[in-house]
Amino acid sequence: MGSVDPLLDTLGRPLETLRISVTDRCNFRCVYCMPKEVYGRDHQFLERKELLSLEEIARVAGVFAELGVRTVRITGGEPLVRRNVEYLVELLHAIPGLELALTTNGALLPQKAQALADAGLDRVTVSLDSVDDATFRALNDVDFPVTKVLEGIDAAAAAGLRVKVNAVVKRGANDDGIVALAEQFRGTGHVLRFIEYMDVGHTNGWRLDDVVSSDEIVAMIDAVHPLEPVAAARPDETARRYRYRDGAGEIGVIASVTKPFCGGCSRARLSAEGRLHTCLFALKGHDLRAPLRLGASDAELAEQIRGIWTRRTDRYSELRTSKTAALPKIEMSYIGG
Ligand code: SAM
């Protein structure tokens, strides 16, 4: 279990976390992620045979674990629409030493939380951008009620899963609900994190003006419920953390636009069709499915991954310029955030 020496990239960053997208489909059409104009009825999603099977995913994850990965996060698309995703959790749980997390929009959590916990999932992150029902329905664009997601969060907690809530903030869309979101989760034990709106995939027309900075978000909450900073627990932590001075818990802000954090990035990303991306913004993935299906041994797969990671140079967010802004972007629904 686990290699002796950590695998380091060209900037000395270890490979610690693997994010696995299990589908490019989603039951929401969030306007900033999978707008209906692009992801309509005739959109070509990946075909079943193109997707890695659950067993193939688990095998690749096992190789990553041997290379030092300690956390696996299942994402999508919406991971809970992948049939039998609980079975994948079971397979991953059999790999020694892995912490298992899943990112979801929460819609199917009321039905699935217990099965996921029973299969060995440790924690969930639920994406929820507003607690105002009308705003939430407009953002998800499938008229999905916010109460159902809140039920999902309760179901996850009741099943014993640790819960985080992630909210993307877009100016003019949901920034008027920042304090209400904070108040919804103050005192619940669930950590709420705000994420700056990024220029990815189908956010055509993204403008810096649409980004509500982390500093602004912290100031808005601090004005009502005073906050103090909390020291980072790990060097690769993406969120800057704050605690309520009255002891009602913690929030975090992920400043991927205004204070990019490539320096500590220890994350690899595996797409649903088995392409390995070494950066959220890396358009070109490395195909692991072909060697997998051509009969490569675990040692051969490990060698390939080792080669990719040790040559890794990505620090897109830190290099973002007007030039990179014009380049094609990866879709969040493809790579899963
Ligand atoms: N369906 C799952 C979910 O809702 O969490 C997993 C995949 S989803 C693509 C992962 C996260 O990416 C969600 O929290 C979503 O809000 C976020 N996201 C999508 N587009 C974004 C953007 N342009 N900027 C910041 N976050 C974005």
Side-chain angles (χ1 to χ4, degrees):
M1 182 188 99
S3 59
V4 189
D5 297 319
L7 191 58
L8 302 178
D9 72 5
T10 59
L11 300 172
R13 297 170 297 188
L15 170 60
E16 285 174 346
T17 297
L18 177 65
R19 303 179 62 106
I20 302 174
S21 172
V22 295
T23 177
D24 59 340
R25 292 167 200 257
C26 188
N27 43 0
F28 282 10
R29 284 293 175 272
C30 295
V31 291
Y32 59 82
C33 186
M34 294 183 80
K36 278 180 181 165
E37 313 86 81
V38 181
Y39 294 92
R41 225 174 254 286
D42 46 7
H43 181 79
Q44 287 289 312
F45 288 99
L46 292 171
E47 282 178 40
R48 203 186 160 75
K49 63 176 187 309
E50 295 178 282
L51 300 178
L52 292 189
S53 69
L54 302 180
E55 288 80 2
E56 285 172 330
I57 294 173
R59 184 163 161 226
V60 174
V63 174
F64 272 93
E66 284 291 331
L67 291 170
V69 159
R70 286 289 148 265
T71 304
V72 167
R73 177 174 293 279
I74 302 170
T75 178
E78 170 49 43
L80 299 188
V81 304
R82 175 83 191 248
R83 198 185 314 154
N84 223 358
V85 72
E86 306 86 315
Y87 177 57
L88 173 64
V89 174
E90 216 176 292
L91 295 175
L92 295 174
H93 186 59
I95 302 170
L98 281 185
E99 160 135 67
L100 300 180
L102 177 139
T103 301
T104 173
N105 60 31
L108 294 171
L109 265 184
Q111 304 82 300
K112 297 231 173 203
Q114 191 61 54
L116 291 165
D118 292 346
L121 191 70
D122 296 298
R123 50 196 175 93
V124 285
T125 299
V126 180
S127 301
L128 175 61
D129 303 332
S130 177
V131 285
D132 175 74
D133 193 51
T135 307
F136 184 65
R137 286 177 195 253
L139 278 172
N140 66 52
D141 211 14
V142 292
D143 208 27
F144 198 83
V146 75
T147 47
K148 279 274 180 204
V149 177
L150 296 173
E151 266 173 44
I153 291 173
D154 290 345
L161 296 168
R162 279 164 22 232
V163 179
K164 277 187 187 153
V165 178
N166 274 0
V168 174
V169 182
K170 184 179 178 199
R171 197 179 301 282
N174 63 337
D175 51 330
D176 56 351
I178 289 172
V179 172
L181 258 168
E183 290 178 342
Q184 178 77 35
F185 297 105
R186 257 172 64 80
T188 60
H190 309 328
V191 173
L192 170 65
R193 299 186 305 185
F194 293 92
I195 300 172
E196 290 178 0
Y197 173 54
M198 289 184 284
D199 185 14
V200 287
H202 292 289
T203 49
N204 289 335
W206 177 97
R207 297 171 320 140
L208 194 55
D209 289 351
D210 292 335
V211 179
V212 181
S213 76
S214 294
D215 290 346
E216 241 180 291
I217 294 169
V218 170
M220 282 165 91
I221 299 171
D222 180 61
V224 189
H225 302 288
L227 292 166
E228 62 191 6
V230 180
R234 298 158 37 135
D236 68 337
E237 225 167 57
T238 49
R240 281 184 295 132
R241 295 158 56 196
Y242 295 83
R243 72 166 79 86
Y244 292 108
R245 286 180 190 267
D246 65 4
E250 206 178 293
I251 64 146
V253 281
I254 304 186
S256 28
V257 179
T258 61
K259 294 192 180 88
F261 40 78
C262 306
C265 181
S266 56
R267 281 174 291 280
R269 295 171 158 88
L270 186 67
S271 77
E273 55 183 336
R275 300 186 75 85
L276 174 61
H277 293 249
T278 52
C279 173
L280 171 56
F281 296 94
L283 259 190
K284 204 179 113 303
H286 305 263
D287 183 19
L288 295 183
R289 187 183 65 193
L292 196 63
R293 292 190 178 169
L294 288 169
S297 67
D298 283 5
E300 285 163 343
L301 285 174
E303 211 31 56
Q304 202 152 1
I305 297 165
R306 197 191 297 276
I308 293 165
W309 192 264
T310 52
R311 286 193 296 273
R312 177 186 191 236
T313 55
D314 315 77
R315 51 192 197 96
Y316 176 93
S317 291
E318 290 178 353
L319 297 175
R320 197 177 343 233
T321 62
S322 49
K323 266 206 191 111
T324 57
L327 296 174
K329 304 286 174 345
I330 198 157
E331 293 148 72
M332 285 296 254
S333 59
Y334 175 81
I335 201 69

